Amino acid sequence: ISRWVKPREALELNLNEFSAKAIKSYLERFQQKDYLAGWKRCKADFENYQKKVTVLLNEAREKTAEDFALEIIPVLNNFDLALKHVPQSAAEEAWVEGIFYIQKQLAEILSKKGIHEIKALGEKFDPAFHECLEEIKTEDKANTGKVIKVMEKGYCQGDKVIKAAKVKIAR
């Protein structure tokens, strides 16, 4: 009686040498294809993992830079306030120049982290970038809706606003 059997089961039967070799060869090729398919899946999974890790690392770097900036920005704002109150007679003194230099260094550190100041003065008010503290009535209709005074600078990291500029606008 003849019946169909799976190749692995056929090896257990009493076969001639030629048939046994053919079945063993088939099983080896089948196993190799299975190994190759598994290896390809593993390779694809690893490549996807590498891409995901790269994305996560970039997000972590950006978040770290943002957190750092949010700690440094108040210091820069305090430098701005302090330098506005330096008497004109002391503007050329070495200590004042030192303060300017420190302020510049801090701004450069932020710049290296991809963080830049939002241009506000004279720009049309944009609630995505500016926070209006006050509207000031003006006779000049050309300035209506524009930023006429920056109270506190704002900053972006790439296209993302991390701190809106606090401004006064003309109405």
Side-chain angles (χ1 to χ4, degrees), residues 6 18 20 61 84 99 106 108 119 124 127 130 146-147 152 164:
K6 295 181 180 175
F18 177 76
R61 276 189 207 104
K84 284 180 184 175
I99 290 175
L106 289 171
E108 286 174 359
K119 301 286 185 238
K124 184 165 176 53
H130 309 123
K146 290 188 178 180
V147 175
E152 220 174 81

Side-chain angles (χ1 to χ4, degrees), residues 23 26 31-32 36 41 48 50 77 94 108 116 127 132 159:
I23 291 173
Y26 166 78
Q31 191 175 26
Q32 287 172 351
L36 181 61
R41 277 191 306 276
N48 290 336
Q50 284 181 313
N77 290 338
E108 286 174 359
H116 60 277
C132 180
D159 294 336

Side-chain angles (χ1 to χ4, degrees), residues 101-137:
Y101 184 71
I102 293 168
Q103 181 187 30
K104 183 180 173 188
Q105 278 183 314
L106 289 171
E108 286 174 359
I109 289 169
L110 290 180
S111 178
K112 287 178 186 175
K113 300 287 183 188
I115 297 165
H116 60 277
E117 185 181 322
I118 296 172
K119 301 286 185 238
L121 192 60
E123 299 290 322
K124 184 165 176 53
F125 176 75
D126 183 347
F129 295 98
H130 309 123
E131 179 183 336
C132 180
L133 298 179
E134 184 179 354
E135 289 184 24
I136 299 173
K137 193 170 184 169

Side-chain angles (χ1 to χ4, degrees), residues 26-118:
Y26 166 78
L27 288 172
E28 285 174 4
R29 279 184 281 145
F30 181 78
Q31 191 175 26
Q32 287 172 351
K33 287 180 183 177
D34 193 38
Y35 286 153
L36 181 61
W39 177 81
K40 286 180 179 179
R41 277 191 306 276
C42 184
K43 183 180 177 198
D45 288 345
F46 183 69
E47 288 171 355
N48 290 336
Y49 166 78
Q50 284 181 313
K51 289 175 188 174
K52 185 170 183 150
V53 165
T54 300
V55 167
L56 290 173
L57 283 173
N58 287 337
E59 288 174 358
R61 276 189 207 104
E62 288 175 7
K63 180 65 176 147
T64 301
E66 180 181 335
D67 291 346
F68 173 74
L70 289 172
E71 291 182 28
I72 294 296
I73 288 171
V75 176
L76 278 171
N77 290 338
N78 288 335
F79 272 111
D80 285 337
L81 289 172
L83 291 171
K84 284 180 184 175
H85 297 341
V86 171
Q88 190 64 29
S89 60
E92 298 296 320
E93 291 187 31
W95 68 271
V96 175
E97 288 180 20
I99 290 175
F100 274 113
Y101 184 71
I102 293 168
Q103 181 187 30
K104 183 180 173 188
Q105 278 183 314
L106 289 171
E108 286 174 359
I109 289 169
L110 290 180
S111 178
K112 287 178 186 175
K113 300 287 183 188
I115 297 165
H116 60 277
E117 185 181 322
I118 296 172

